[in-house]
Amino acid sequence: MSKETNRKTSKKKDSKFIKKIKQHMYKWHRVIGLITVIPVIFWTLSGLMHPFMAHFFKPEIAHDKIEQQIIDKSQLHLSIQEVLKQNFINDFKNFRIVSFNNITYYQVKMIPGDLLYFDASNGKKLENGDQKYAEWLSRYFLDDQKSAVKKSEIVTEFTSQYKYVNRYLPVYKVSFDRDDAMQVYVETSSSKLATYNPTSRQFFIWFFDTFHNWSFIDTITNNSIRIITMIFLLSIIGFSALSGILIYGLLWKQFKKTDSVQPKKGLRKYHRQIGIWVSLFTLTFAFSGAYHATTKWAPYTLSQMVYEPTFSTKEIVVSNTALNLDWNRFQNMSIITLNDTTFYRCQLVEKETKKFKKPKGDSKWNKKEDSKSEVVYINASTNKIVPNLDLEYAEFLAYYFTDGAPKLACCEIDMSSHEEEPEVNLENVKLLESKVLTDFESREYGFVNKRLPVIKLAYDTPEKTTYFIETATSRLAAVIKNSDKVEGYSFAILHKFLFMDWAGKNIRDLATVLAALSILIVSILGFILFLKK
């Protein structure tokens, strides 16, 4: 047999082989595309709504926080000790001072967790005080003193409308009788706005939760099945994109030879051309989405990470109205316990800080504290100021929230009651960094974490664990490890296109919309082609 005959035979074999591969590739590409077309449409449509709603249907609110005012000492006619004794309260969890409707109150947290309000001038209890304060806060944030309150209720767990992204629990949900059916969520224990949802946003939250997070699966089965289903379908979508790249991109020069009899025109041509360009976006969205879903296995528990020891009224020796502090700068106070000693934690306006009035509608004020405050700790037995105790207290809280890991020399806690020791022995763990954060850092501690100011504590652990502690409420605001950073960067860059921050939020959101829209168009074209077969 001649060499020329061998070449012809080889070409024929190659042609048949390529045809066979193409036949199977097309088949599986169509099958995979058919399986995932509905999920892709759901995900892209709901994803498109996110930046669209943020730009065109973003609700406005008059105030997003209460500006910390200086409290006149003369308003505290009675001390907290006198008020508690007058109302026969022997034990409680904490207290602070709030002012509304031109009256100053002691807000006292009781052992069961309920908040009671006592007039600081006469010690009388305000009936339904917490509900009244929640409604007052809601009206303040809305700047609405006229609309009637339809309903006021306590929310103790996250719901389909009040998502875990809001962080605060428990909160009051106050619904107003207005055209926009506004719902305001407030945390009365800190006087903070959690979120607010008019009708348009309520619908958007439902739509996004149903078609992007697939919350409807939770009602049928459970969270684990939901996550497994999402990861499975996102993996299939990734394979669909890869097979499309292989068919229409890398091997197209060989495959197109077999299309001379039946060339691709019209929808097929556009599906191929557009599909190649958007396959990269499909892969990045699918990968980052699946990776992000893997972080949702464990339930959200940060709302429970709070240190609340019980205090006895008789053990607080020094009256809060007799404290040795600069009352001209006084903003608020509470009490903490550290190393078996009780301290007043007092918040003062910094001497150098000038008072600024918040510009109405300035979104930048959503991302930082209005002004810096100075924190002073005073021994409740000796009335002496103890310097630099805020950092030590933060370190103690990090120790407490991790059952003794990291274990620091400042914190002698009896661990004998714990059944299990920490997996990693951090007896002599090194504190790499500690600082007060008054602004949200764009990546590591972003706006999603809600709480400010916090103290950042970075430890020299294998995972370089970093704790963010809100000492004002004795809460753990966030825990970040190296693995969390990797996932966070993956989701931020590949899913939210934060690599385009340099161009501004508008351009970044536009790029995200165009990417999602192109994936939607390719999916619909592919589905139409399948129906035409």
Side-chain angles (χ1 to χ4, degrees):
M1 187 179 291
S2 66
K3 291 182 179 180
E4 188 177 346
T5 306
N6 285 335
R7 278 197 296 269
K8 288 180 179 179
T9 306
S10 176
K11 281 184 178 180
K12 287 181 180 179
K13 286 182 179 179
D14 288 343
S15 181
K16 288 180 180 179
F17 178 69
I18 291 172
K19 282 182 178 179
K20 195 170 184 180
I21 291 177
K22 184 175 181 182
Q23 181 183 356
H24 286 289
M25 279 192 177
Y26 278 151
K27 179 182 177 182
W28 284 110
H29 184 68
R30 287 196 301 269
V31 171
I32 292 173
L34 184 64
I35 292 172
T36 59
V37 66
I38 299 301
V40 167
I41 290 174
F42 282 170
W43 272 320
T44 51
L45 277 177
S46 54
L48 280 168
M49 284 190 67
H50 200 285
F52 188 74
M53 290 289 293
H55 282 277
F56 299 104
F57 295 97
K58 184 179 180 180
E60 296 292 337
I61 199 165
H63 309 283
D64 56 17
K65 60 171 64 73
I66 284 188
E67 185 179 354
Q68 291 287 338
Q69 300 288 345
I70 292 176
I71 296 175
D72 189 347
K73 184 183 178 182
S74 63
Q75 297 173 3
L76 306 179
H77 183 70
L78 298 178
S79 68
I80 184 64
Q81 291 89 340
E82 292 172 320
V83 169
L84 293 174
K85 289 177 181 178
Q86 180 178 320
N87 290 274
F88 307 101
I89 298 175
N90 298 318
D91 300 289
F92 64 103
K93 283 188 175 181
N94 219 316
F95 81 95
R96 69 187 190 105
I97 301 167
V98 298
S99 298
F100 63 102
N101 293 333
N102 299 317
I103 299 176
T104 300
Y105 297 93
Y106 286 111
Q107 182 193 69
V108 181
K109 189 164 190 177
M110 304 301 291
I111 305 301
D114 53 322
L115 297 175
L116 303 183
Y117 294 73
F118 302 96
D119 192 326
S121 64
N122 55 34
K124 292 182 178 179
K125 178 184 174 182
L126 177 67
E127 296 299 327
N128 298 320
D130 206 32
Q131 180 178 334
K132 291 177 180 177
Y133 187 47
E135 293 179 4
W136 182 88
L137 283 172
S138 300
R139 291 187 183 280
Y140 171 83
F141 292 132
L142 290 176
D143 194 17
D144 183 351
Q145 305 300 324
K146 297 179 180 180
S147 299
V149 173
K150 289 176 62 177
K151 190 176 182 181
S152 183
E153 57 188 307
I154 298 176
V155 177
T156 57
E157 60 184 19
F158 297 112
T159 66
S160 59
Q161 280 292 310
Y162 185 71
K163 307 299 294 182
Y164 78 94
V165 73
N166 295 300
R167 296 297 193 268
Y168 299 119
L169 275 181
V171 294
Y172 263 90
K173 174 186 175 183
V174 182
S175 304
F176 286 89
D177 186 11
R178 305 189 343 168
D179 293 338
D180 59 2
M182 180 66 79
Q183 297 172 346
V184 181
Y185 295 81
V186 295
E187 185 183 56
T188 53
S189 61
S190 64
S191 304
K192 289 183 177 180
L193 171 67
T195 191
Y196 54 99
N197 300 328
T199 305
S200 59
R201 187 169 174 81
Q202 292 168 36
F203 171 76
F204 164 70
I205 291 172
W206 172 86
F207 188 89
F208 192 84
D209 195 43
T210 302
F211 296 107
H212 209 83
N213 297 330
W214 290 27
S215 60
F216 63 89
I217 296 181
D218 283 340
T219 61
I220 302 172
T221 55
N222 55 52
N223 182 58
S224 297
I225 298 299
R226 179 179 69 90
I227 294 173
I228 291 171
T229 302
M230 292 178 71
I231 293 175
F232 172 74
L233 288 172
L234 287 167
S235 301
I236 297 296
I237 290 170
F239 284 125
S240 177
L242 286 173
S243 64
I245 293 172
L246 192 62
I247 293 170
Y248 298 119
L250 300 178
L251 302 178
W252 183 247
K253 287 183 179 180
Q254 292 174 304
F255 286 169
K256 71 179 180 180
K257 295 175 184 177
T258 62
D259 290 340
S260 56
V261 179
Q262 198 174 21
K264 306 303 180 191
K265 295 181 180 180
L267 290 178
R268 290 185 182 279
K269 181 180 179 181
Y270 292 124
H271 176 69
R272 176 177 69 85
Q273 291 177 342
I274 300 174
I276 293 172
W277 287 104
V278 304
S279 291
L280 180 62
F281 296 134
T282 306
L283 285 172
T284 57
F285 279 135
F287 170 77
S288 57
Y291 192 8
H292 188 64
T294 61
T295 66
K296 305 301 180 182
W297 293 107
Y300 180 81
T301 58
L302 273 182
S303 59
Q304 304 168 21
M305 297 292 102
V306 55
Y307 177 54
E308 293 183 311
T310 299
F311 294 95
S312 176
T313 304
K314 62 183 179 181
E315 292 176 356
I316 306 174
V317 180
V318 179
S319 167
N320 70 299
T321 55
L323 291 179
N324 179 26
L325 57 82
D326 186 352
W327 287 95
N328 293 323
R329 298 187 291 127
F330 174 68
Q331 289 182 316
N332 219 313
M333 67 171 59
S334 59
I335 52 174
I336 65 113
T337 181
L338 179 63
N339 297 331
D340 297 324
T341 304
T342 301
F343 298 90
Y344 284 102
R345 184 188 186 278
C346 303
Q347 182 175 319
L348 311 177
V349 176
E350 275 192 344
K351 291 180 180 179
E352 302 81 10
T353 301
K354 295 179 181 180
K355 299 298 290 181
F356 293 99
K357 187 175 181 181
K358 172 192 163 184
K360 190 171 182 180
D362 187 351
S363 60
K364 292 182 180 180
W365 288 79
N366 291 326
K367 298 186 178 182
K368 61 182 178 181
E369 291 293 293
D370 286 347
S371 60
K372 292 182 179 180
S373 296
E374 179 184 348
V375 177
V376 175
Y377 286 82
I378 300 179
N379 190 308
S381 298
T382 64
N383 201 7
K384 291 183 178 180
I385 295 176
V386 182
N388 304 319
L389 203 63
D390 207 32
L391 174 59
E392 186 177 342
Y393 185 52
E395 293 174 354
F396 160 77
L397 290 174
Y399 174 92
Y400 173 81
F401 292 130
T402 54
D403 285 338
K407 184 174 182 181
L408 304 176
C410 69
C411 316
E412 300 298 331
I413 293 184
D414 182 13
M415 297 296 294
S416 60
S417 61
H418 292 257
E419 296 179 2
E420 297 182 5
E421 291 295 321
E423 292 183 7
V424 181
N425 184 4
L426 301 176
E427 183 76 20
N428 299 311
V429 66
K430 182 181 178 181
L431 181 61
L432 298 175
E433 181 186 10
S434 62
K435 67 176 181 178
V436 178
L437 299 183
T438 56
D439 299 299
F440 290 112
E441 296 183 345
S442 58
R443 295 292 184 267
E444 191 174 22
Y445 189 78
F447 179 64
V448 70
N449 294 292
K450 297 289 187 178
R451 299 186 180 276
L452 277 181
V454 294
I455 293 181
K456 175 184 178 181
L457 300 172
Y459 290 95
D460 189 16
T461 67
E463 277 282 334
K464 294 294 184 286
T465 309
T466 303
Y467 301 90
F468 298 89
I469 308 293
E470 186 181 46
T471 55
T473 58
S474 302
R475 286 185 177 274
L476 178 63
V479 182
I480 306 295
K481 301 179 181 178
N482 280 343
S483 57
D484 300 317
K485 293 179 183 177
V486 172
E487 189 282 322
Y489 279 116
S490 164
F491 195 73
I493 294 171
L494 302 179
H495 213 86
K496 293 185 173 182
F497 286 20
L498 260 65
F499 63 88
M500 292 192 65
D501 270 355
W502 58 270
K505 188 176 186 300
N506 293 338
I507 301 298
R508 186 196 75 197
D509 286 350
L510 178 60
T512 309
V513 167
L514 291 176
L517 188 61
S518 60
I519 294 172
L520 178 62
I521 291 171
V522 169
S523 301
I524 292 175
L525 288 176
F527 186 60
I528 293 173
L529 287 173
F530 177 83
L531 295 177
K532 284 191 172 186
K533 288 291 286 183

